[in-house]
C-alpha cells in the first residue's frame, strides 16, 4: 500500500516543483509505515511523489527472520535492490516526462540511493538526495556490529550465518562491510548531485550518529544537519520520518527557502 499522496502515476510536475520525488524506505520497513507523514505534505506542496517497496527477500534467500512477518522489505542484497530502484526511477521519469528526480532515503534507503547513484546510472538522473539517519558509513549497532567484527578478526566469520538471521541487507550495513568499502572507496558523493544528510544525537541504530554524515567530493555539495541543533526538545531517534522538524528540513532541502520557519516541536526519544 502506498502512503497518502504518493504513486499518482498521472501526476504532472509543476514549474515550481519540476522534479518528482522518490521516497526510499529503510530495512525491515515499507513505504506506508515510513512515509505516511512526509508524502502527503510533499503532495500538498505540489510535488509528484513516488514511494516504492523495495528489497523483498524471504528467509531462504537471506532475508532474515523478520521477513517471516507481513509488510517487511529492504532485506535483500543492497546491490541487487539498487537495480530494482533504477528500474523504478526510469518508470517515474517516463510517466512524468522528466529527466531527473529528487530522492529522500531513510536509513538503508539513503545508502541504497547512493549505491544507485554510483553503480546503477543514477548520477545523471538525480538532482538532490536527502538522507535521514542513513547508514552511509556503516553502523556499530550499539556494539553488536563491533562484536561481530571482533569475532571476525579472531578468524570466525559469522556474517554468512547472520544473513539468515538479520538479513543480508542488515549485515551489509555493519561498518567495514565489503559493500560499504566499495561504495565509499572513491569518496561519499558523485558529481552533479546536491546532498543533505540529517542525523540525530538520539539515533541508536545508526551508531555513532556522526557516521551518517557525508563529505563533498568534486562537483557535489553536502549539507550535514544535526536534528537537535537549534531544537533540543526534538529528541527523535532513528525513526525520525514523522518529526515535524525533519519534514520541514526535507522540504527546505528539496526547495531551499521554501519553509521560512522550520518547526521545533517536542518529540520524545524512540527506541
Amino acid at each position: 500500500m502506498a502512503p497518502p499522496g504518493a504513486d499518482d502515476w498521472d501526476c504532472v510536475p509543476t514549474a515550481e516543483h519540476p522534479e518528482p520525488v522518490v521516497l526510499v524506505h529503510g530495512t525491515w520497513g515499507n513505504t506506508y509505515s515510513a512515509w505516511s507523514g512526509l508524502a502527503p505534505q510533499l503532495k500538498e506542496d505540489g510535488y509528484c511523489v513516488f514511494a516504492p517497496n523495495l528489497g523483498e527477500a524471504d528467509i531462504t534467500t537471506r532475508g532474515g527472520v523478520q521477513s517471516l512477518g507481513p509488510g517487511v522489505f529492504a532485506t535483500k542484497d543492497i546491490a541487487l535492490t539498487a537495480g530494482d530502484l533504477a528500474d523504478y526511477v526510469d518508470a517515474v521519469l517516463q510517466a512524468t516526462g522528466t529527466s531527473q528526480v529528487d530522492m529522500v532515503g531513510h536509513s538503508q534507503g539513503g545508502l541504497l540511493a547512493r549505491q544507485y547513484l554510483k553503480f546503477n546510472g543514477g548520477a545523471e538522473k538525480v538532482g538532490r538526495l536527502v538522507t535521514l539517519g542513513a547508514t552511509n558509513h556503516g553502523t556499530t549497532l550499539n556494539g553488536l556490529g563491533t562484536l561481530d567484527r571482533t569475532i571476525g578478526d579472531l578468524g570466525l566469520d559469522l556474517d554468512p550465518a547472520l544473513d539468515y538471521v538479520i538479513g543480508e541487507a542488515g549485515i551489509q550495513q555493519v561498518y567495514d562491510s565489503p559493500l560499504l568499502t566499495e561504495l565509499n572507496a572513491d569518496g561519499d558523493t558523485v558529481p552533479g548531485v546536491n546532498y543533505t544528510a540529517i542525523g540525530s544525537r538520539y539515533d541508536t541504530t545508526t551508531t555513532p550518529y556522526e557516521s551518517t554524515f557525508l563529505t563533498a567530493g568534486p562537483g557535489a555539495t553536502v549539507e550535514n544537519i544535526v536534528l537537535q541543533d537549534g531544537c533540543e526538545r526534538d529528541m527523535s531517534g532513528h525513526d525520525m520520518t514523522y518529526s515535524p522538524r525533519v519534514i520541514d528540513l526535507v522540504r527546505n532541502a528539496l526547495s531551499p527557502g521554501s519553509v521560512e520557519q522550520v518547526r521545533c516541536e517536542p518529540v520524545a526519544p524512540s527506541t
Side-chain angles (χ1 to χ4, degrees):
M1 176 185 288
D7 290 2
D8 176 3
W9 290 91
D10 295 319
C11 183
V12 178
T14 65
E16 184 179 5
H17 299 302
E19 285 81 29
V21 180
V22 176
L23 308 177
V24 190
H25 64 80
T27 309
W28 300 338
N30 61 68
T31 189
Y32 186 85
S33 63
W35 302 120
S36 290
L38 179 61
Q41 178 64 69
L42 294 180
K43 181 68 173 180
E44 182 180 333
D45 289 344
Y47 292 94
C48 294
V49 183
F50 298 87
N53 281 316
L54 296 168
E56 185 175 16
D58 60 32
I59 196 166
T60 65
T61 55
R62 296 188 287 183
V65 294
Q66 289 277 352
S67 64
L68 295 172
V72 175
F73 295 88
T75 60
K76 188 171 75 173
D77 177 2
I78 292 171
L80 294 179
T81 306
D84 299 334
L85 178 57
D87 292 339
Y88 186 87
V89 171
D90 286 347
V92 169
L93 294 177
Q94 182 175 6
T96 57
T98 54
S99 59
Q100 280 194 329
V101 302
D102 291 335
M103 280 189 174
V104 182
H106 173 239
S107 192
Q108 183 204 137
L111 183 68
L112 174 61
R114 291 182 56 229
Q115 180 80 15
Y116 161 64
L117 290 177
K118 185 171 182 178
F119 296 113
N120 297 87
E124 296 180 354
K125 299 176 183 179
V126 176
R128 298 181 183 275
L129 171 61
V130 186
T131 69
L132 310 177
T135 48
N136 286 316
H137 293 281
T139 175
T140 68
L141 284 174
N142 259 349
L144 292 177
T146 305
L147 178 61
D148 175 44
R149 292 290 178 257
T150 301
I151 293 172
D153 290 341
L154 296 174
L156 181 59
D157 184 5
L158 297 178
D159 286 2
L162 290 174
D163 286 347
Y164 290 93
V165 179
I166 296 174
E168 187 171 12
I171 294 302
Q172 288 175 323
Q173 293 171 82
V174 176
Y175 71 95
D176 290 343
S177 73
L179 181 133
L180 284 166
T181 299
E182 183 178 16
L183 176 61
N184 294 324
D186 301 317
D188 295 346
T189 62
V190 298
V193 178
N194 298 309
Y195 296 78
T196 302
I198 300 172
S200 169
R201 294 193 184 99
Y202 295 91
D203 195 326
T204 58
T205 299
T206 299
T207 55
Y209 79 91
E210 294 94 341
S211 66
T212 197
F213 297 135
L214 301 168
T215 299
T221 65
V222 169
E223 183 178 9
N224 292 314
I225 299 173
V226 178
L227 178 57
Q228 286 76 33
D229 283 355
C231 186
E232 291 294 339
R233 59 182 178 168
D234 188 335
M235 295 183 285
S236 300
H238 191 67
D239 298 327
M240 63 179 72
T241 60
Y242 287 87
S243 157
R245 186 170 184 81
V246 168
I247 289 173
D248 284 353
L249 289 171
V250 170
R251 296 165 71 196
N252 262 346
L254 295 173
S255 181
S258 59
V259 181
E260 293 184 6
Q261 185 64 47
V262 174
R263 285 173 286 180
C264 176
E265 299 181 7
V267 179
S270 59
T271 59

